Structures are given as structure tokens and as C-alpha cells.
Amino acid sequence: EILLHGQVLFRCGDPALKMYFVSKGECQYYLGVSDRDSVSLLPPSYLCEAALWMVWEHCGRLTANAYCELVSIDAHKFQDILSIGSMKLAGLRRYAALFWEALFPEGSWSRSFDRLTDLCLDLQDTDGLLSRAFVSEKGQ
């Protein structure tokens, strides 16, 4: 996906159908509908991972600060691949469950919806989820 300066990729409330990786340029993510809370995103930033694991609506707006290139993963195609049932995909299924738990601790909806974002989890959180999801069955 290519965005030109000022072009909007998505807005708060739009259905999230893809995960995005910033591969070139700079984007600005605005949380909610205001222009006050924003974060600059440069390569290799990624966002909207939740769209891969659950039904998701965008929680903010993504705008290009300059020419910007993004690589995307289509959530529906990704979920179709996961539904195949291969044992090799078991780690991804565990990761999806752990991702959900990270967004909504203790299996509840306790995380305030006004704190949800399209931005990625903290990198340490992501590494921890990956480590837990892809541990071998023998515990090695």
C-alpha cells in the first residue's frame, strides 16, 4: 500500500481488515478521533495486529506524514490459512489466545476500551508471548 502526504489509510471505527508494517516513509497514528494524542511510525513499525486474531475496529486514524509504503497481511486470508488445522500452526493458535489475554487480562473485558489502540503491544510483551506460544511440547 502506498500513501502520499496527508492521505488517510483508516479512521477510528472503520473495520480493521489488515495488519500493516511501515516499510518506507513516515506515518502518524492518532488515537481516537482527536488530533492531540499521536505517535510517529517509522520502519519497522507495525500496527493493527489485533485484526489477525479477532474482529477488530480501528481505534484511531493513520495518516501519511510524507510518501509512505506499507506492507499488509489480509486478516481473512490469514485466518483461512490458520483454519487448515496443521499441527505446525498450533503455535500460532496459542499465540492468538495469549494475544487476547494480553489485551483483556484475566479473561475479562477489564481493560478499558478507551485505552485500546491499533499500535503494537510493547516489544517485550510480544517477545514474551512468542516465547510462550512456541515452546516445544516437551518443554524445551
Coordinates of all heavy atoms in Angstrom, one line a residue, residues 85 94 128:
G85 N -5.7 -26.4 10.0 CA -5.6 -27.4 11.1 C -4.3 -28.1 11.2 O -4.2 -29.1 11.9
R94 N -1.9 -20.8 19.7 CA -1.5 -20.4 21.1 C -1.2 -18.9 21.2 O -1.6 -18.3 22.2 CB -0.4 -21.3 21.7 CG -0.8 -22.7 22.0 CD 0.4 -23.4 22.8 NE 1.6 -23.5 22.0 CZ 1.9 -24.5 21.2 NH1 1.0 -25.5 21.0 NH2 3.1 -24.5 20.5
G128 N 7.7 -12.1 24.8 CA 7.2 -13.0 25.8 C 6.1 -13.9 25.3 O 6.1 -15.1 25.6

